[in-house]
Amino acid sequence: MREQIRDLVISIVTQAIEGLGDSGKNSLVEESMTLFGQDAHVDSLTLVNIIVDLEEVIQDQLNRTISLTDDEAVFKEPSPFSSVGLLIDYIESLLIEDN
Amino acid sequence: MGASVTKPIAVVTGASRGLGHEIAAKLALQGYEVFGLSRTESVHSGLFEFLETDLCSAESVRNAFALIRKRCGRINVLINNAAVLHSQYLMILPDRSIKSMTETNLEGTIIATREALKLMRRVELARVVTVSSMATVLKPEGDSVYAATKAGLEMFTSTVAKEVARDGITCNVLSISAFDSEMYRSLNEQRVGELIKQLPIPGFVDIDDVMNVIDFFLSPRSSGITAQVVRLGGVS
């Protein structure tokens, strides 16, 4: 399942970064890419759009409803939004938990 | 009633009666596919589709917008109209009345807006209009909680406008002076009469006054108008 989630997350983050125009140019999306904090590759509003896009694509493609913005996600340490890899792990944990 | 792909999609909260019902009906006549959200179905809901929704329940609101997303994939217009008013001096205002006003007027509207905005991203014309009240300016005795919720909505709307401006979504407030509705008729007639008499334009506003402002906010030419409050009746 992780591979499938990884593909979805990489695809959404890539689209979001491409949408940033020149500032996102030549950014290769890898699991180590930071999404949140001082070294973030995206601004806060782009991260918001990534989160909403992911909730939608998981609903559409996996037919599962998850919330990436509940208290657990917001207060979790380290933040699931710190990096692409942690975001993939967090989504996987939500989907397994919900099974 | 099946949603047409080409029609703009409008959602109106509190659409079962009063102002919300009239706005929903007018938008439907203007060619919008309208979803009216409310706890009870309107007696005259033939012009638009009713979705039973309890704004006091986040889950109920989420379900309504999930259904709209499934059916239409997007929303163009959200009219935040739903509100309850319990007019009473604060020291004798029941807990239930306070909860009902804060949950419906403020919390419910915030959650509905959050869910709607998700469906407004990447939409060519996307507008949020929140209905407020003259109570935020006139501060009538007995309406402290109601006025507080409406003032909160004005602040909420103009602040969230900044968050979504980049997506081309505008968020504005229409503040109604007095609209002849069940809500107003439930108030002390003498008190309402005195309030209305104080207005620069003393009297009820009608649906055409309301739609005039809504049409202005929804116009494609108003894409640069956001975080604004328009007050009817000369209230200032």
Side-chain angles (χ1 to χ4, degrees), chain B:
Chain B
M1 190 188 300
S4 158
V5 175
T6 53
K7 279 185 171 182
I9 310 297
V11 176
V12 181
T13 67
S16 65
R17 56 193 171 173
L19 183 63
H21 184 270
E22 295 208 34
I23 293 171
K26 289 282 183 188
L27 290 176
L29 290 170
Q30 287 180 15
Y32 285 85
E33 188 79 41
V34 179
F35 292 91
L37 273 49
S38 52
R39 273 175 300 190
T40 51
E41 183 160 14
S42 164
V43 181
H44 312 287
S45 60
L47 284 168
F48 57 90
E49 184 160 357
F50 163 76
L51 294 181
E52 186 180 339
T53 309
D54 179 4
L55 279 192
C56 297
S57 157
E59 190 185 1
S60 176
V61 176
R62 270 197 298 271
N63 288 343
F65 282 94
L67 183 72
I68 295 168
R69 177 171 182 264
K70 202 172 173 186
R71 296 263 298 277
C72 309
R74 67 189 154 81
I75 290 173
N76 298 92
V77 170
L78 171 68
I79 309 288
N80 284 318
N81 163 76
V84 292
L85 166 58
H86 301 285
S87 192
Q88 186 53 272
Y89 291 104
L90 182 62
M91 282 193 279
I92 54 170
L93 186 64
D95 293 349
R96 207 168 69 175
S97 299
I98 297 171
K99 195 173 161 64
S100 160
M101 283 189 278
T102 53
E103 282 188 354
T104 304
N105 303 4
L106 199 52
E107 203 176 320
T109 299
I110 289 169
I111 292 169
T113 305
R114 180 187 68 191
E115 297 307 310
L117 288 174
K118 292 177 185 175
L119 302 184
M120 288 179 160
R121 300 172 311 137
R122 305 180 192 107
V123 169
E124 201 174 325
L125 188 148
R127 305 277 190 261
V128 175
V129 179
T130 301
V131 175
S132 185
S133 159
M134 63 179 173
T136 64
V137 175
L138 301 183
K139 305 175 179 71
E141 288 176 18
D143 289 350
S144 58
V145 176
Y146 180 75
T149 61
K150 289 295 190 177
L153 282 185
E154 291 184 13
M155 186 58 73
F156 164 73
T157 304
S158 54
T159 305
V160 83
K162 292 168 77 175
E163 292 184 17
V164 297
R166 195 170 78 173
D167 290 321
I169 304 169
T170 70
C171 305
N172 293 290
V173 175
L174 162 58
S175 177
I176 308 280
S177 48
F179 184 80
D180 189 12
S181 65
E182 213 172 288
M183 183 189 276
Y184 273 93
R185 285 192 291 274
S186 72
L187 298 172
N188 180 304
E189 200 177 329
Q190 191 187 345
R191 273 192 53 221
V192 173
E194 283 165 10
L195 261 184
I196 292 174
K197 256 193 272 176
Q198 292 171 29
L199 299 174
I201 304 173
F204 287 108
V205 297
D206 63 24
I207 187 63
D208 284 333
D209 298 317
V210 171
M211 289 312 295
N212 181 37
V213 181
I214 289 180
D215 289 345
F216 166 69
F217 283 144
L218 304 194
S219 163
R221 296 178 69 195
S222 296
S223 60
I225 313 282
T226 195
Q228 302 303 308
V229 181
V230 171
R231 300 190 191 282
L232 292 176
V235 177
S236 63

